[in-house]
Amino acid sequence: MSNDIRVRYAPSPTGLLHIGNARTALFNYLYARHHDGQFIIRIEDTDRKRHVEDGERSQLENLRWLGMDWDESPETHENYRQSERLELYQKYIQQLLNEGKAYKSYVTEEELKAERERQEKAGETPRYINEFLGMSEDEKAAYITEREAAGIIPTVRLAVNETAIYKWTDMVKGDIEFEGGNIGGDWVIQKKDGFPTYNFAVVVDDHDMKISHVIRGDDHIANTPKQLMVYEALGWTAPEFGHMTLIINSETGKKLSKRDTNTLQFIEDYRRKGYLPEAVFNFIALLGWNPGGEDEIFSREELINLFDEHRLSKSPAAFDQKKLDWMSNDYIKNADFDKVFALCQPFLEEAGRLTDKAAKLVELYKPQLTAADEIVPLTDLFFSDFPALTDAEKEVMAGETVPTVLEAFKAKLEAMSDEDFQPDNIFPQIKAVQKETGIKGKNLFMPIRIAVSGEMHGPELPNTIYLLGRDKSIEHIDNMLQSL
C-alpha cells in the first residue's frame, strides 16, 4: 500500500472528545501511518442546533494531546468544514434533480407524523410513502404550485431503487448486504434550511477528498447502504468500509453510555486529572484490536508498526477503567521523574503543598500514582490531622511489645541531630531498636509505621518519617504512647 491510502476522522463539533470517537480517530491514524498513507481531519458542522462554540478546538487539541498528528485539516486546507462546502453539495443535488434521481418533496412534518402514526396503528413498518404516487403530470404540477403558494419549503429526497441490493465486504465484519426496500423509502438528502443531510454530505466529502477507506463505529452500518445509493446515483466508486464493534462497559456489559457517570469517558477528563497521554493512547489502541501475544504495553511507534486491520475484533470492546489505571500506573512508574513532577506540580500548588519537600513527596509516591491529581490525597498524611485508626490498626497497637518498640525508637529520633536526620540514617535507627529489644519483623515495623503515620501501609518508612519531620514524628509517637 502507498499514499493511495487516505483515511479521515470527521467529528461534529458538538462537544468534548469522547473515548469512542478518540478510538475512531486513533484506528484511522494507525492504519494510515502503518501503510504510509494520509490521515485527514474534516469537521462535520452542519448540525447547527447542536454546534458547540469550542467544539472544534477541543477535538483537535485533545487529539494532539493523545499524540496524533495529521496531514490535512481545516487548519491547513480551505473548505475542510462542511459549512464551507454548501456550494459543492448544491452542485451535486442539482445534478441529481436534473437527472431525475432526486426530487423536491413538499410533504409537511405534520403530514409525516400523521402517516407514521397511521402505519404504527396498522402494524406496518414506518416508511415514507412517495407523495406523488398515482398523480398524473398535471396533478403533480398543480400540487407543487399549491404547496409553493402556501409557502411550504421543500426538502430534496433521493429516489430509492427498492429492488436493488446494496452490499459490501466490510474490513471487520465481512460480507454485509441490505435490500433497497428496507431503507424506509425515499430519504432526504437536503433539508428545508438548504443544508445537506449527513448521509449525502459525507459521500460528497469522501469522494472529493479521495478517501480510500472509511473506518468507523458499527453504529454507522445502517448509514452505509444509504451512502452506497448516493455513490451509485452519482456514478462514483465507493471506498472500502470497516465498522468497529461497540465499546461496552466491562462491569455492566452494556454499551458505554455518556450518561454513565461512574466512568471517565472524555479525553479532557484524563488530561485534567494528569494521566500520561501515552498511557491513554496505548489503552485506546487495544479497545477492539489485538496485536497478538501477551504484551499490552506499547509505544506509539510500536503500535504503528504492529497495526493490522485484520486483527480488528468482531466482538464488543470492553472499557475497563481498572485496566486503564493499571496501564497508567505502569507508564508513570517508568516515566522520567521530571515529567511526573511537572504533572503533579499544579495539583500540589493548588493545594498549597508546593513546599521545598514537594519533589521528595512526588518521588515517594510516584510508584503508586495512576494520575497526577492523586498526589494530593496521597500526601494528606503530611498536611492533615492524624487519622483515626481502623480496627485492624488498633489491634496491632494493642500488642504487648508495642510500648517497648515506640519508646526505644522515640529515643533514637531524639538523639539524632538535624544534620543526621536523613532517610539513609533513619533505617539504621530502626535496626538498632531491633538489636536492643530483640523485637523484629512486623512487630517492629508495623507499630512504628502506625504510630508515625496512622496507617498500616504506605511508602518506605524512612522516607515517610523524613518527610513528616523529626519533631512531628516524635509528637505522633508521644501521642500514641499516651493512648495505649
Side-chain angles (χ1 to χ4, degrees):
M1 296 189 185
S2 66
N3 284 336
D4 291 339
I5 296 292
R6 286 175 59 85
V7 297
R8 48 75 170 177
Y9 170 60
S12 298
T14 55
L16 300 175
L17 179 61
H18 185 258
I19 203 91
N21 291 336
R23 182 187 68 163
T24 297
L26 182 56
F27 282 4
N28 277 280
Y29 168 80
L30 292 174
Y31 185 74
R33 295 293 175 257
H34 178 80
H35 293 297
D36 296 323
Q38 303 288 300
F39 177 50
I40 292 111
I41 302 287
R42 183 178 73 227
I43 302 297
E44 297 184 346
D45 61 347
T46 54
D47 189 347
R48 308 310 292 176
K49 292 180 181 177
R50 296 176 60 228
H51 185 87
V52 174
E53 189 63 35
D54 215 24
E56 180 180 323
R57 180 206 58 78
S58 170
Q59 289 277 335
L60 298 181
E61 192 176 277
N62 283 297
L63 289 176
R64 280 199 182 93
W65 178 80
L66 279 170
M68 281 180 255
D69 63 296
W70 41 88
D71 303 288
E72 300 169 18
S73 77
E75 299 169 320
T76 57
H77 287 64
E78 292 183 356
N79 301 329
Y80 270 47
R81 298 179 184 90
Q82 285 187 334
S83 59
E84 302 166 342
R85 300 168 62 81
L86 298 182
E87 286 186 18
L88 184 64
Y89 304 136
Q90 189 60 49
K91 169 187 169 183
Y92 290 114
I93 286 168
Q94 192 59 51
Q95 177 183 323
L96 293 177
L97 287 169
N98 293 343
E99 294 174 355
K101 296 176 180 177
Y103 60 91
K104 292 181 179 181
S105 168
Y106 293 86
V107 67
T108 65
E109 287 298 324
E110 293 75 18
E111 289 169 332
L112 286 170
K113 181 181 178 183
E115 177 60 19
R116 278 196 301 270
E117 289 174 352
R118 184 201 67 76
Q119 290 172 347
E120 287 172 3
K121 286 180 182 177
E124 300 172 11
T125 302
R127 60 187 290 103
Y128 165 75
I129 306 296
N130 190 319
E131 67 218 76
F132 300 107
L133 202 62
M135 289 186 187
S136 67
E137 287 302 314
D138 288 344
E139 289 170 332
K140 183 176 175 181
Y143 168 81
I144 292 173
T145 300
E146 177 191 331
R147 292 273 159 154
E148 288 183 343
I152 294 173
I153 300 171
T155 60
V156 176
R157 290 181 180 270
L158 185 72
V160 172
N161 179 358
E162 299 203 350
T163 63
I165 301 295
Y166 295 91
K167 55 186 177 181
W168 72 96
T169 300
D170 198 271
M171 294 168 65
V172 181
K173 299 178 178 296
D175 293 336
I176 300 177
E177 65 177 50
F178 282 80
E179 294 181 13
N182 292 332
I183 298 301
D186 301 341
W187 53 277
V188 175
I189 60 174
Q190 186 177 46
K191 296 174 282 187
K192 292 179 185 290
D193 61 7
F195 279 77
T197 56
Y198 167 78
N199 282 314
F200 182 79
V202 74
V203 170
V204 173
D205 292 338
D206 285 344
H207 174 76
D208 185 60
M209 296 178 182
K210 298 180 173 59
I211 299 303
S212 62
H213 296 75
V214 173
I215 303 170
R216 55 193 180 185
D218 66 3
D219 51 331
H220 281 283
I221 285 180
N223 289 325
T224 307
K226 287 187 174 182
Q227 292 167 20
L228 289 174
M229 290 176 186
V230 177
Y231 280 107
E232 180 182 73
L234 290 169
W236 296 339
T237 301
E240 290 191 43
F241 292 95
H243 292 88
M244 302 171 290
T245 55
L246 293 176
I247 302 175
I248 60 171
N249 187 313
S250 63
E251 294 185 1
T252 64
K254 296 179 180 178
K255 178 185 174 183
L256 197 63
S257 167
K258 293 177 183 178
R259 293 185 293 275
D260 184 359
T261 56
N262 295 323
T263 304
L264 291 180
Q265 297 188 42
F266 296 96
I267 302 303
E268 190 79 27
D269 293 331
Y270 293 101
R271 286 183 65 189
R272 287 175 180 162
K273 286 179 65 64
Y275 279 72
L276 283 174
E278 302 95 316
V280 183
F281 185 105
N282 189 160
F283 174 77
I284 295 174
L286 302 182
L287 283 175
W289 175 75
N290 182 354
E294 300 297 321
D295 293 340
E296 293 189 290
I297 304 295
F298 301 98
S299 68
R300 180 178 61 169
E301 291 71 25
E302 287 171 331
L303 287 165
I304 289 171
N305 290 333
L306 287 168
F307 191 76
D308 179 355
E309 63 275 17
H310 299 106
R311 297 192 67 87
L312 287 166
S313 175
K314 292 179 173 62
S315 303
F319 183 93
D320 186 342
Q321 186 73 52
K322 291 178 182 176
K323 181 176 178 179
L324 172 53
D325 289 345
W326 164 80
M327 195 172 279
S328 180
N329 172 251
D330 189 83
Y331 270 86
I332 288 178
K333 282 192 294 189
N334 290 291
D336 291 337
F337 174 77
D338 290 346
K339 187 173 188 177
V340 177
F341 182 68
L343 275 178
C344 293
Q345 198 167 342
F347 298 103
L348 290 170
E349 186 171 15
E350 186 180 351
R353 298 181 182 181
L354 201 57
T355 67
D356 57 349
K357 291 184 177 179
K360 192 67 181 174
L361 284 171
V362 175
E363 182 184 336
L364 188 65
Y365 287 101
K366 181 173 176 278
Q368 294 174 240
L369 288 174
T370 291
D373 69 338
E374 294 175 353
I375 195 65
V376 174
L378 283 172
T379 56
D380 279 347
L381 161 66
F382 305 101
F383 300 95
S384 304
D385 294 334
F386 195 84
L389 298 187
T390 64
D391 290 342
E393 289 161 352
K394 288 177 182 177
E395 186 177 343
V396 171
M397 300 312 285
E400 185 179 346
T401 59
V402 168
T404 303
V405 168
L406 296 185
E407 290 285 4
F409 185 62
K410 176 189 166 189
K412 296 296 181 188
L413 291 181
E414 290 173 335
M416 294 182 77
S417 66
D418 290 341
E419 191 174 295
D420 287 341
F421 190 74
Q422 297 292 330
D424 290 345
N425 296 329
I426 293 172
F427 185 73
Q429 304 306 316
I430 299 174
K431 296 302 287 184
V433 170
Q434 176 183 325
K435 189 172 182 182
E436 287 178 14
T437 63
I439 301 167
K440 57 186 178 181
K442 67 178 183 180
N443 291 329
L444 170 68
F445 288 95
M446 197 67 80
I448 294 174
R449 179 180 290 280
I450 294 172
V452 171
S453 69
E455 299 174 347
M456 290 179 70
H457 306 287
E460 292 185 9
L461 185 53
N463 288 325
T464 300
I465 294 168
Y466 167 73
L467 287 168
L468 194 60
R470 187 179 62 168
D471 292 345
K472 202 163 190 178
S473 296
I474 291 171
E475 178 189 335
H476 286 179
I477 293 172
D478 262 336
N479 292 340
M480 186 62 70
L481 283 167
Q482 291 172 27
S483 70
L484 295 178

